[in-house]
Amino acid sequence: MEKSKEISIKAFEALLKEVNLSPKPGLVDRLNNGSHSDMTLTTFYDSAEAIFPFFEGYFLLGQNHDGTALELFEKVRNLGAEAEKEMMKATQNINTHKGANFSFAVILGSIGNFYQKTSKVELVETDIVEILNYTKEMCTGLASRDFKQLEKKENLTNGEKLFLKKGIKGVRGEAESGYESLRDNLLPSLRKYRLLEEEERFLRGFVDLMSDVEDSNIYHRGGEDGILYLKTEAKKIQRLDVSKAELIGHLKELDKKMIAKNLSPGGSADLLALGIFLSSLEKIS
């Protein structure tokens, strides 16, 4: 199988593994729809299938690119806009994977460019760092460009409102940082839990992520109090020395609390999908 197809399939599988992972507090999963009245598991399947055909394109743009990192960013973003239109069509205008599509576009483009330069068969931790560093180059100054003259714009998105009110950059900030939350939090956690079976590994990694990330979706729904609540609750679970069954019990309890507060860590869910994807590419000894 061509590398572009192989890697795009792994990215698609990561989206499916993320949404099926259960329980995820406040999020759509196999058990319930979390804090979302307009989304179901099927909505996410339809969305993932709609953007999947574009994944190979993101990779190939990177693999065939001859120019600057910023020029590659513009290429993958333009293709990503087409993917977003298909996603919205498939979901009847429900935003399921807008942030994830953006990040997969950037990271797949970076991976394609990495393979163009190295032709490596297997990736190791230092390669993942190099790929994420290149995404940082691709996204240099992104927020300041995108949020320029917002005061004059009508019909602001949630992300734009948060930036004006709190200076929170959301997915753009993650991209500008070279996905610091992945590099410094989630991927090290997934490596630490590598001997666990897959579901438990991802659940524990997700708890570690929620305990640390400034999730813009939580800010939108619950402000700073919401962020503090999620981090505090996740840290309580993180500190417990419990079995998988007990971990699931604690996550179910937190799920009930998050639904009652109408909180949903959607930004963390996108990062989880990216972490699942990148960890599937990495050879860990």
Side-chain angles (χ1 to χ4, degrees), residues 14-121:
L15 285 179
L16 298 184
K17 285 180 180 181
E18 180 277 312
V19 75
N20 278 286
L21 186 68
S22 307
K24 296 191 307 297
L27 293 161
V28 174
D29 57 27
R30 296 191 319 275
L31 303 180
N32 59 50
N33 299 338
S35 301
H36 299 275
S37 58
D38 59 344
M39 299 177 188
T40 65
L41 208 56
T42 303
T43 316
F44 276 86
Y45 291 164
D46 291 343
S47 176
E49 287 177 7
I51 62 176
F52 169 49
F54 295 87
F55 285 1
E56 187 176 10
Y58 301 146
F59 179 95
L60 290 172
L61 282 173
Q63 190 175 47
N64 298 321
H65 182 62
D66 180 19
T68 67
L70 287 171
E71 286 167 344
L72 176 56
F73 172 77
E74 290 304 323
K75 289 179 183 178
V76 298
R77 191 178 214 188
N78 288 337
L79 184 58
E82 295 303 311
E84 188 177 313
K85 287 176 189 173
E86 292 302 312
M87 177 199 81
M88 288 298 195
K89 265 196 254 177
T91 63
Q92 286 75 55
N93 291 316
I94 296 169
N95 173 14
T96 43
H97 284 125
K98 184 175 180 178
N101 175 57
F102 171 87
S103 292
F104 272 100
V106 171
I107 289 176
L108 283 164
S110 180
I111 291 171
N113 194 251
F114 179 85
Y115 274 102
Q116 178 206 111
K117 295 169 183 171
T118 67
S119 299
K120 276 199 163 188
V121 176

Side-chain angles (χ1 to χ4, degrees), residues 123 190-191 194 201 279 282-285:
L123 302 184
L190 294 179
R191 291 178 192 120
R194 67 187 181 278
R201 181 184 179 218
S279 69
E282 185 180 336
K283 177 179 168 55
I284 302 176
S285 56

